[in-house]
Amino acid sequence: MIDMSLFEKFGPGYQPVPAPYFNPDTIIITRGSYQTPQQCNLAEAICSVYPKARIIEKLDRPHNRVQLDSPDHLELHYAGKKTLVLGIHKSALRYSDEDGNTCPNYWHFSPYGFCPYDCQYCYLAGTPGVKYSPTVKIFLNLPEILNQIGRVASQLTAPTAFYLGKLQDGLALDSLTGYSRIIIPFFARQRYARLILLTKSVNVENLLDLDHKQNTILSWSLNPPEVSSAFEQNVPSPDERITAMQKCVEAGYPIRAVIMPIIPLEGWQKIYSNFIGNLLESTPLKRITLGQICSYSAALKLTERKLGKNNPISNRLEKVKSNDGRVRFPLKLRIDIYRYLIDKIKKLKPELRIGLCMEEHDTFKALNMESAIGCCNCVP
Ligand code: SF4
Protein backbone atom coordinates (compact mmCIF):
# COMPACT_ATOMS: atom_id res chain seq x y z
CA MET A 1 0.00 0.00 0.00
CA ILE A 2 1.61 3.28 -1.07
CA ASP A 3 1.16 6.24 1.24
CA MET A 4 0.48 9.07 -1.22
CA SER A 5 -0.27 11.71 1.39
CA LEU A 6 3.08 13.53 1.22
CA PHE A 7 3.04 13.47 -2.56
CA GLU A 8 -0.49 14.84 -2.67
CA LYS A 9 0.47 17.58 -0.26
CA PHE A 10 3.59 18.76 -2.06
CA GLY A 11 3.79 17.07 -5.48
CA PRO A 12 0.99 18.62 -7.54
CA GLY A 13 1.60 22.04 -6.00
CA TYR A 14 5.24 22.14 -6.99
CA GLN A 15 5.98 24.05 -10.18
CA PRO A 16 9.12 22.66 -11.85
CA VAL A 17 11.73 25.09 -13.10
CA PRO A 18 14.60 24.12 -15.41
CA ALA A 19 17.54 22.58 -13.60
CA PRO A 20 20.65 24.75 -13.95
CA TYR A 21 23.41 23.03 -15.98
CA PHE A 22 20.89 20.68 -17.59
CA ASN A 23 19.31 21.29 -20.97
CA PRO A 24 17.98 18.02 -22.37
CA ASP A 25 17.23 17.86 -26.09
CA THR A 26 15.23 14.65 -25.66
CA ILE A 27 12.89 13.40 -22.94
CA ILE A 28 11.99 9.70 -23.01
CA ILE A 29 8.99 8.54 -20.99
CA THR A 30 9.32 4.89 -20.02
CA ARG A 31 7.30 2.06 -18.49
CA GLY A 32 5.31 2.86 -15.37
CA SER A 33 5.58 6.62 -15.75
CA TYR A 34 1.82 7.06 -15.94
CA GLN A 35 0.88 4.59 -13.19
CA THR A 36 -0.74 7.27 -10.97
CA PRO A 37 -2.37 10.67 -11.66
CA GLN A 38 0.36 12.33 -9.56
CA GLN A 39 3.08 10.81 -11.73
CA CYS A 40 1.26 11.89 -14.91
CA ASN A 41 1.09 15.44 -13.55
CA LEU A 42 4.75 15.51 -12.62
CA ALA A 43 5.86 14.02 -15.97
CA GLU A 44 3.78 16.57 -17.83
CA ALA A 45 5.04 19.46 -15.68
CA ILE A 46 8.68 18.46 -16.18
CA CYS A 47 8.22 18.16 -19.95
CA SER A 48 6.58 21.59 -20.05
CA VAL A 49 9.72 23.35 -18.79
CA TYR A 50 11.70 22.10 -21.80
CA PRO A 51 9.41 23.11 -24.71
CA LYS A 52 12.15 22.57 -27.29
CA ALA A 53 12.94 19.00 -26.20
CA ARG A 54 11.77 16.05 -28.30
CA ILE A 55 9.35 13.97 -26.21
CA ILE A 56 9.34 10.24 -26.95
CA GLU A 57 7.07 7.70 -25.24
CA LYS A 58 8.53 4.22 -24.82
CA LEU A 59 5.99 2.85 -22.41
CA ASP A 60 6.88 -0.78 -23.07
CA ARG A 61 10.47 -0.27 -21.96
CA PRO A 62 11.95 0.01 -18.44
CA HIS A 63 14.14 3.02 -17.67
CA ASN A 64 17.36 0.99 -17.83
CA ARG A 65 16.70 -0.39 -21.31
CA VAL A 66 16.80 2.91 -23.16
CA GLN A 67 19.51 2.63 -25.77
CA LEU A 68 20.99 5.66 -27.44
CA ASP A 69 22.24 5.41 -30.93
CA SER A 70 26.01 5.71 -30.81
CA PRO A 71 28.73 3.07 -31.01
CA ASP A 72 31.32 5.46 -29.59
CA HIS A 73 31.57 5.48 -25.79
CA LEU A 74 32.31 9.21 -25.49
CA GLU A 75 29.57 10.23 -27.93
CA LEU A 76 27.16 7.96 -26.09
CA HIS A 77 28.18 9.56 -22.79
CA TYR A 78 27.48 13.07 -24.04
CA ALA A 79 24.22 12.03 -25.74
CA GLY A 80 23.18 10.61 -22.35
CA LYS A 81 23.84 13.94 -20.64
CA LYS A 82 21.35 15.56 -23.07
CA THR A 83 18.68 12.89 -22.56
CA LEU A 84 16.24 12.87 -19.67
CA VAL A 85 14.52 9.57 -18.97
CA LEU A 86 11.37 9.55 -16.84
CA GLY A 87 10.38 6.22 -15.34
CA ILE A 88 9.93 4.25 -12.16
CA HIS A 89 12.49 2.37 -10.11
CA LYS A 90 11.14 -0.62 -8.23
CA SER A 91 14.38 -1.36 -6.37
CA ALA A 92 15.54 2.18 -5.68
CA LEU A 93 16.45 1.37 -2.08
CA ARG A 94 19.54 -0.79 -1.76
CA TYR A 95 22.16 -1.83 0.75
CA SER A 96 25.69 -1.24 -0.53
CA ASP A 97 28.00 -4.14 -1.15
CA GLU A 98 31.54 -2.87 -0.61
CA ASP A 99 34.20 -5.48 -0.18
CA GLY A 100 38.01 -5.33 -0.12
CA ASN A 101 38.32 -1.85 1.43
CA THR A 102 37.44 -0.30 4.79
CA CYS A 103 34.11 1.25 3.77
CA PRO A 104 31.07 0.36 5.84
CA ASN A 105 27.99 -0.85 3.99
CA TYR A 106 24.93 1.36 4.19
CA TRP A 107 21.46 2.05 2.78
CA HIS A 108 21.26 4.23 -0.30
CA PHE A 109 18.35 5.22 -2.50
CA SER A 110 17.79 6.57 -5.99
CA PRO A 111 14.96 8.96 -6.89
CA TYR A 112 17.37 10.03 -9.66
CA GLY A 113 19.91 8.25 -11.78
CA PHE A 114 23.28 9.65 -12.90
CA CYS A 115 23.83 13.39 -13.25
CA PRO A 116 23.96 16.30 -15.72
CA TYR A 117 27.39 17.59 -14.64
CA ASP A 118 30.58 16.74 -16.49
CA CYS A 119 33.42 15.86 -14.12
CA GLN A 120 36.29 14.43 -16.12
CA TYR A 121 37.18 11.98 -13.35
CA CYS A 122 33.61 10.72 -12.92
CA TYR A 123 33.69 7.21 -11.56
CA LEU A 124 29.96 6.71 -11.95
CA ALA A 125 30.17 7.19 -15.73
CA GLY A 126 32.07 3.91 -16.03
CA THR A 127 29.86 1.73 -13.85
CA PRO A 128 28.05 -1.01 -15.80
CA GLY A 129 24.49 0.42 -15.62
CA VAL A 130 25.53 3.94 -16.58
CA LYS A 131 27.94 2.81 -19.28
CA TYR A 132 25.12 0.96 -21.02
CA SER A 133 22.50 3.65 -20.52
CA PRO A 134 24.20 6.97 -19.60
CA THR A 135 21.01 9.03 -19.52
CA VAL A 136 19.93 11.35 -16.72
CA LYS A 137 16.95 9.78 -14.97
CA ILE A 138 14.12 10.96 -12.76
CA PHE A 139 12.10 8.24 -11.06
CA LEU A 140 8.50 9.33 -10.62
CA ASN A 141 7.50 6.77 -7.96
CA LEU A 142 8.93 8.68 -5.01
CA PRO A 143 6.10 7.72 -2.58
CA GLU A 144 6.83 4.06 -3.26
CA ILE A 145 10.55 4.63 -2.63
CA LEU A 146 9.84 6.44 0.64
CA ASN A 147 7.51 3.65 1.72
CA GLN A 148 10.36 1.18 1.21
CA ILE A 149 12.58 3.38 3.38
CA GLY A 150 9.82 3.70 5.97
CA ARG A 151 9.54 -0.07 6.28
CA VAL A 152 13.28 -0.41 6.96
CA ALA A 153 13.25 2.65 9.25
CA SER A 154 10.50 1.18 11.40
CA GLN A 155 12.82 -1.68 12.40
CA LEU A 156 15.77 0.52 13.41
CA THR A 157 17.01 0.89 16.97
CA ALA A 158 19.89 3.34 16.34
CA PRO A 159 20.56 6.30 14.01
CA THR A 160 21.08 4.93 10.52
CA ALA A 161 21.91 6.68 7.26
CA PHE A 162 19.97 6.58 4.02
CA TYR A 163 22.29 8.00 1.43
CA LEU A 164 21.23 10.04 -1.59
CA GLY A 165 24.19 10.73 -3.89
CA LYS A 166 25.86 7.39 -4.47
CA LEU A 167 24.47 6.71 -7.95
CA GLN A 168 23.52 10.31 -8.79
CA ASP A 169 23.99 13.89 -7.68
CA GLY A 170 21.55 14.23 -4.79
CA LEU A 171 20.26 17.73 -5.58
CA ALA A 172 21.12 18.67 -9.19
CA LEU A 173 17.60 17.93 -10.49
CA ASP A 174 15.66 19.11 -7.45
CA SER A 175 14.38 22.26 -9.13
CA LEU A 176 12.63 19.99 -11.66
CA THR A 177 10.99 17.71 -9.10
CA GLY A 178 10.79 19.55 -5.79
CA TYR A 179 11.57 16.17 -4.22
CA SER A 180 13.57 17.72 -1.39
CA ARG A 181 10.30 19.21 -0.15
CA ILE A 182 8.91 15.70 0.25
CA ILE A 183 12.03 13.77 1.27
CA ILE A 184 13.36 16.12 3.98
CA PRO A 185 10.01 16.38 5.88
CA PHE A 186 9.71 12.57 5.56
CA PHE A 187 13.07 12.12 7.32
CA ALA A 188 12.17 14.81 9.88
CA ARG A 189 9.41 12.47 11.07
CA GLN A 190 11.72 9.47 11.52
CA ARG A 191 13.10 8.48 14.88
CA TYR A 192 16.34 6.87 13.70
CA ALA A 193 16.54 7.22 9.92
CA ARG A 194 18.83 10.02 8.76
CA LEU A 195 19.12 11.43 5.25
CA ILE A 196 22.66 12.09 4.03
CA LEU A 197 22.62 13.98 0.74
CA LEU A 198 25.76 14.49 -1.35
CA THR A 199 25.83 17.12 -4.09
CA LYS A 200 27.72 19.66 -6.15
CA SER A 201 24.52 21.62 -6.75
CA VAL A 202 23.82 25.07 -5.38
CA ASN A 203 20.02 24.84 -5.82
CA VAL A 204 19.19 25.07 -2.15
CA GLU A 205 16.18 27.40 -2.28
CA ASN A 206 13.73 24.49 -1.89
CA LEU A 207 15.50 23.45 1.32
CA LEU A 208 15.79 26.62 3.31
CA ASP A 209 12.30 26.89 4.83
CA LEU A 210 11.84 23.19 5.65
CA ASP A 211 11.46 21.89 9.20
CA HIS A 212 14.24 19.30 8.89
CA LYS A 213 14.77 18.58 12.60
CA GLN A 214 18.46 18.09 11.77
CA ASN A 215 17.60 14.61 10.48
CA THR A 216 19.04 15.66 7.10
CA ILE A 217 22.79 16.04 6.76
CA LEU A 218 23.91 17.95 3.67
CA SER A 219 27.33 17.19 2.19
CA TRP A 220 29.07 19.06 -0.57
CA SER A 221 31.64 17.50 -2.84
CA LEU A 222 34.41 20.08 -3.22
CA ASN A 223 37.81 20.66 -4.73
CA PRO A 224 39.96 23.80 -4.94
CA PRO A 225 39.11 26.19 -7.81
CA GLU A 226 42.34 25.22 -9.63
CA VAL A 227 41.34 21.56 -9.61
CA SER A 228 37.68 22.23 -10.33
CA SER A 229 38.43 24.36 -13.39
CA ALA A 230 40.77 21.69 -14.76
CA PHE A 231 38.57 18.64 -14.13
CA GLU A 232 34.96 19.72 -13.51
CA GLN A 233 32.98 21.13 -16.44
CA ASN A 234 29.36 22.26 -16.49
CA VAL A 235 29.15 22.39 -12.72
CA PRO A 236 28.75 25.18 -10.12
CA SER A 237 32.06 26.67 -9.00
CA PRO A 238 33.51 25.75 -5.58
CA ASP A 239 32.84 29.30 -4.36
CA GLU A 240 29.17 28.99 -5.33
CA ARG A 241 29.00 25.64 -3.54
CA ILE A 242 30.47 27.15 -0.39
CA THR A 243 27.91 29.97 -0.53
CA ALA A 244 25.14 27.35 -0.78
CA MET A 245 26.63 25.52 2.21
CA GLN A 246 26.58 28.71 4.24
CA LYS A 247 22.91 29.32 3.42
CA CYS A 248 22.14 25.81 4.67
CA VAL A 249 24.18 26.36 7.84
CA GLU A 250 21.97 29.39 8.49
CA ALA A 251 18.91 27.20 7.93
CA GLY A 252 20.18 24.90 10.70
CA TYR A 253 21.26 21.88 8.67
CA PRO A 254 24.30 19.86 9.75
CA ILE A 255 26.85 20.42 6.94
CA ARG A 256 29.77 18.29 5.81
CA ALA A 257 32.42 18.52 3.11
CA VAL A 258 33.86 15.75 0.99
CA ILE A 259 37.15 16.75 -0.64
CA MET A 260 37.37 14.13 -3.35
CA PRO A 261 39.05 13.18 -5.55
CA ILE A 262 42.15 15.00 -4.35
CA ILE A 263 44.30 15.41 -7.45
CA PRO A 264 47.99 16.17 -6.84
CA LEU A 265 48.54 18.83 -9.49
CA GLU A 266 51.90 20.55 -9.39
CA GLY A 267 51.92 22.71 -6.25
CA TRP A 268 49.07 20.69 -4.71
CA GLN A 269 50.27 21.41 -1.16
CA LYS A 270 49.68 25.15 -1.50
CA ILE A 271 46.52 24.75 -3.60
CA TYR A 272 44.80 22.42 -1.12
CA SER A 273 46.18 24.22 1.93
CA ASN A 274 44.71 27.55 0.83
CA PHE A 275 41.42 25.97 -0.12
CA ILE A 276 40.97 24.00 3.09
CA GLY A 277 42.02 27.02 5.15
CA ASN A 278 39.35 29.20 3.49
CA LEU A 279 36.72 26.50 3.76
CA LEU A 280 37.27 25.78 7.44
CA GLU A 281 37.43 29.43 8.37
CA SER A 282 34.27 30.38 6.47
CA THR A 283 31.99 27.39 7.01
CA PRO A 284 31.20 25.50 10.22
CA LEU A 285 31.48 21.82 9.26
CA LYS A 286 30.36 18.81 11.26
CA ARG A 287 32.71 16.45 9.42
CA ILE A 288 35.23 16.49 6.60
CA THR A 289 35.99 13.46 4.47
CA LEU A 290 39.04 13.18 2.24
CA GLY A 291 39.35 10.81 -0.68
CA GLN A 292 41.42 10.20 -3.77
CA ILE A 293 40.90 8.51 -7.11
CA CYS A 294 39.46 5.01 -6.68
CA SER A 295 38.02 4.14 -10.04
CA TYR A 296 37.47 1.33 -12.50
CA SER A 297 39.07 0.92 -15.89
CA ALA A 298 35.90 1.73 -17.89
CA ALA A 299 35.61 5.10 -16.12
CA LEU A 300 39.31 5.80 -16.52
CA LYS A 301 39.11 5.10 -20.26
CA LEU A 302 36.43 7.78 -20.46
CA THR A 303 38.64 10.13 -18.44
CA GLU A 304 41.43 9.55 -20.99
CA ARG A 305 39.07 10.21 -23.89
CA LYS A 306 38.29 13.59 -22.31
CA LEU A 307 41.76 14.57 -21.08
CA GLY A 308 44.07 12.57 -23.34
CA LYS A 309 46.19 9.64 -22.18
CA ASN A 310 48.89 11.91 -20.79
CA ASN A 311 46.98 13.60 -17.98
CA PRO A 312 47.67 14.36 -14.30
CA ILE A 313 45.39 11.56 -13.11
CA SER A 314 46.47 8.68 -15.37
CA ASN A 315 50.15 9.60 -15.04
CA ARG A 316 50.10 8.92 -11.31
CA LEU A 317 47.90 5.83 -11.16
CA GLU A 318 49.27 2.45 -10.16
CA LYS A 319 49.37 -0.15 -12.89
CA VAL A 320 47.87 -2.85 -10.68
CA LYS A 321 44.39 -2.87 -9.20
CA SER A 322 43.74 -2.80 -5.45
CA ASN A 323 42.01 -5.73 -3.67
CA ASP A 324 38.59 -4.21 -4.37
CA GLY A 325 39.25 -4.05 -8.12
CA ARG A 326 39.71 -0.27 -8.16
CA VAL A 327 42.69 1.66 -9.43
CA ARG A 328 44.35 4.17 -7.09
CA PHE A 329 47.45 6.32 -6.72
CA PRO A 330 50.39 4.50 -5.07
CA LEU A 331 50.02 3.99 -1.33
CA LYS A 332 52.99 6.22 -0.47
CA LEU A 333 51.61 9.15 -2.46
CA ARG A 334 48.18 8.72 -0.90
CA ILE A 335 49.63 8.67 2.58
CA ASP A 336 51.79 11.74 1.89
CA ILE A 337 48.77 13.66 0.64
CA TYR A 338 46.54 12.66 3.55
CA ARG A 339 49.24 13.34 6.14
CA TYR A 340 49.79 16.84 4.80
CA LEU A 341 46.10 17.73 4.64
CA ILE A 342 45.14 16.14 7.95
CA ASP A 343 47.91 18.08 9.63
CA LYS A 344 46.53 21.29 8.15
CA ILE A 345 42.95 20.46 9.23
CA LYS A 346 44.01 19.53 12.76
CA LYS A 347 45.91 22.78 13.20
CA LEU A 348 42.87 24.80 12.18
CA LYS A 349 40.06 22.71 13.70
CA PRO A 350 41.43 20.17 16.18
CA GLU A 351 37.95 18.87 17.07
CA LEU A 352 36.68 18.34 13.52
CA ARG A 353 36.04 14.69 12.68
CA ILE A 354 38.03 13.55 9.67
CA GLY A 355 37.07 10.59 7.52
CA LEU A 356 38.81 8.90 4.62
CA CYS A 357 36.66 7.62 1.76
CA MET A 358 37.20 4.32 -0.08
CA GLU A 359 40.55 3.70 1.54
CA GLU A 360 42.46 0.59 2.44
CA HIS A 361 43.44 -0.60 5.89
CA ASP A 362 47.15 0.06 5.26
CA THR A 363 46.42 3.74 4.70
CA PHE A 364 44.63 4.15 8.03
CA LYS A 365 47.39 2.19 9.77
CA ALA A 366 50.18 4.34 8.33
CA LEU A 367 48.34 7.47 9.41
CA ASN A 368 47.63 6.07 12.86
CA MET A 369 43.93 6.54 12.13
CA GLU A 370 42.53 3.05 12.55
CA SER A 371 39.99 4.34 15.07
CA ALA A 372 38.55 6.53 12.27
CA ILE A 373 37.69 3.57 10.04
CA GLY A 374 34.00 3.78 9.25
CA CYS A 375 33.79 7.47 10.26
CA CYS A 376 33.15 8.77 6.76
CA ASN A 377 30.43 10.60 4.90
CA CYS A 378 28.17 7.58 4.43
CA VAL A 379 27.36 7.14 8.14
CA PRO A 380 25.49 9.46 10.55
S1 SF4 B 1 28.86 15.26 -9.92
FE1 SF4 B 1 29.46 13.15 -9.49
S2 SF4 B 1 28.11 11.90 -10.77
FE2 SF4 B 1 28.04 13.98 -11.58
S3 SF4 B 1 29.58 14.05 -13.21
FE3 SF4 B 1 30.54 14.78 -11.30
S4 SF4 B 1 31.50 12.95 -10.39
FE4 SF4 B 1 29.99 12.23 -11.93
Side-chain angles (χ1 to χ4, degrees):
M1 181 67 181
I2 301 172
D3 174 6
M4 300 296 291
S5 59
L6 273 172
F7 206 53
E8 276 157 15
K9 194 169 167 194
F10 293 103
Y14 182 75
Q15 285 304 316
V17 291
Y21 300 90
F22 185 43
N23 189 17
D25 57 23
T26 307
I27 300 177
I28 302 177
I29 301 174
T30 62
R31 191 161 82 196
S33 291
Y34 298 149
Q35 71 180 3
T36 67
Q38 290 83 2
Q39 287 184 199
C40 291
N41 290 342
L42 184 56
E44 194 183 334
I46 291 172
C47 291
S48 72
V49 303
Y50 294 112
K52 291 191 178 153
R54 204 161 45 117
I55 314 280
I56 302 171
E57 285 188 341
K58 291 195 176 177
L59 297 171
D60 59 340
R61 201 162 301 184
H63 68 86
N64 55 356
R65 286 286 170 267
V66 171
Q67 271 181 301
L68 302 177
D69 200 17
S70 175
D72 179 81
H73 191 186
L74 188 63
E75 278 176 24
L76 187 71
H77 171 76
Y78 280 123
K81 298 266 181 191
K82 300 287 279 179
T83 305
L84 173 61
V85 169
L86 303 180
I88 58 168
H89 196 339
K90 289 288 184 187
S91 49
L93 175 64
R94 294 197 185 154
Y95 198 67
S96 67
D97 189 20
E98 284 298 332
D99 202 10
N101 56 44
T102 56
C103 285
N105 283 310
Y106 56 93
W107 292 103
H108 61 96
F109 68 107
S110 294
Y112 309 108
F114 203 28
C115 155
Y117 302 142
D118 184 16
C119 306
Q120 322 275 271
Y121 51 71
C122 182
Y123 135 85
L124 197 52
T127 53
V130 173
K131 193 180 165 197
Y132 174 81
S133 185
T135 56
V136 178
K137 302 175 188 74
I138 293 176
F139 300 116
L140 301 167
N141 58 326
L142 182 65
E144 214 172 338
I145 298 170
L146 294 183
N147 277 346
Q148 290 168 11
I149 294 172
R151 277 196 289 277
V152 175
S154 68
Q155 307 295 317
L156 298 174
T157 54
T160 299
F162 290 80
Y163 201 80
L164 170 52
K166 181 176 171 63
L167 302 178
Q168 59 284 110
D169 183 283
L171 201 62
L173 302 173
D174 191 66
S175 53
L176 280 175
T177 62
Y179 278 177
S180 61
R181 301 188 66 76
I182 303 174
I183 296 173
I184 291 174
F186 169 86
F187 277 92
R189 298 207 316 265
Q190 305 300 317
R191 183 161 181 205
Y192 291 121
R194 302 287 178 268
L195 171 64
I196 299 181
L197 186 154
L198 179 67
T199 188
K200 287 190 178 96
S201 168
V202 298
N203 310 335
V204 294
E205 296 311 315
N206 277 340
L207 280 60
L208 299 180
D209 65 337
L210 298 176
D211 181 14
H212 51 78
K213 305 239 178 321
Q214 299 210 322
N215 283 0
T216 289
I217 298 164
L218 300 173
S219 294
W220 266 267
S221 169
L222 292 166
N223 244 308
E226 296 87 336
V227 175
S228 179
S229 59
F231 300 102
E232 296 174 347
Q233 313 299 314
N234 195 45
V235 65
S237 71
D239 281 350
E240 291 172 302
R241 286 177 239 169
I242 291 172
T243 302
M245 293 167 86
Q246 289 163 351
K247 286 184 192 167
C248 292
V249 168
E250 276 173 34
Y253 288 94
I255 302 296
R256 297 179 181 174
V258 178
I259 315 290
M260 184 173 184
I262 299 164
I263 300 177
L265 292 178
E266 196 166 340
W268 63 266
Q269 294 90 337
K270 190 157 179 247
I271 291 171
Y272 277 93
S273 235
N274 288 345
F275 177 68
I276 286 178
N278 291 339
L279 174 67
L280 297 190
E281 268 151 29
S282 66
T283 314
L285 299 177
K286 297 287 184 199
R287 189 175 303 176
I288 189 166
T289 299
L290 307 177
Q292 302 189 37
I293 294 280
C294 50
S295 198
Y296 292 110
S297 32
L300 292 167
K301 275 187 194 145
L302 206 48
T303 299
E304 292 190 349
R305 289 290 306 278
K306 293 180 178 181
L307 296 173
K309 278 193 184 302
N310 182 12
N311 70 72
I313 296 174
S314 304
N315 291 347
R316 299 265 204 167
L317 288 172
E318 276 199 309
K319 300 288 174 259
V320 286
K321 291 178 184 166
S322 307
N323 287 340
D324 58 1
R326 295 169 195 263
V327 186
R328 293 179 165 86
F329 296 140
L331 183 63
K332 181 174 178 321
L333 175 62
R334 295 190 338 250
I335 291 168
D336 287 348
I337 292 171
Y338 287 134
R339 191 169 277 136
Y340 185 88
L341 299 184
I342 289 168
D343 194 43
K344 171 86 187 170
I345 295 166
K346 284 193 166 156
K347 275 190 188 123
L348 290 168
K349 297 275 169 181
E351 304 303 322
L352 183 60
R353 289 182 77 179
I354 304 172
L356 302 183
C357 182
M358 288 282 173
E359 264 306 341
E360 297 176 301
H361 195 270
D362 286 352
T363 315
F364 283 92
K365 195 168 171 200
L367 295 164
N368 201 16
M369 278 180 72
E370 281 159 298
S371 63
I373 290 176
C375 157
C376 55
N377 194 49
C378 307
V379 293

